[in-house]
Amino acid sequence: MTTFVRYIDLDGTVNTRDLGGWARQAGGTTPFGRILRSDMPRTASDEDRARLTRAGVHHVFDLRSQEEQRAEPNPLLGDAAFEVVGYDLMAPVMTARASGRGRTEDPFDLA
C-alpha cells in the first residue's frame, strides 16, 4: 500500500499540501500526487526545489493578480526544472463586477 504525504515541509512556504483524497462530485476522490497548493514561495531554497522535484512538481500555476506577480515575481521563474504559468484568477471576476454584473456579497456570483 502506498502512503501519501499531505503536507510538504518547505523552507520558503507555509501550508504546502497535496490536494489528493478530496471527494469528487462525480464519485471517487482526487488523486494524490497530482495537485499541490501553497502560498507564494517568497524564497525557494535549493532544498525546497529538490523537495518539489522529488514530489514530481513540474508545473507551477501562480494565481495571484498581475500586479502582485509584477511586484513580486515567482522565485521559481527561470528555473529550468519548473514551468511557471501566471494566471490572474480574479481578473474575470473583477471585470464582471466592474461592468455591473455580479453581486457584491459573493464575488464569484456573476449572475
Side-chain angles (χ1 to χ4, degrees), residues 52-72:
L52 291 170
T53 300
R54 284 193 303 272
V57 174
H58 304 288
H59 298 89
V60 174
F61 296 93
D62 190 336
L63 303 178
R64 297 174 298 144
S65 72
Q66 289 180 2
E67 293 81 19
E68 290 172 303
Q69 291 177 42
R70 276 193 295 274
E72 192 172 2

Side-chain angles (χ1 to χ4, degrees), residues 8-13 41-55 57 75-82:
I8 297 177
D9 185 26
L10 299 176
D11 301 323
T13 67
R42 290 188 173 11
T43 60
S45 68
D46 290 341
E47 183 55 32
D48 284 349
R49 293 166 195 265
R51 287 179 189 131
L52 291 170
T53 300
R54 284 193 303 272
V57 174
L76 298 176
L77 275 171
D79 187 321
F82 305 100

Side-chain angles (χ1 to χ4, degrees), residues 4 8 13-14 16 24-26 42 65 71 89 103 106 111:
F4 294 98
I8 297 177
T13 67
V14 176
T16 301
R24 296 177 56 201
Q25 187 174 6
R42 290 188 173 11
S65 72
L89 184 65
R103 300 185 198 142
D106 182 355

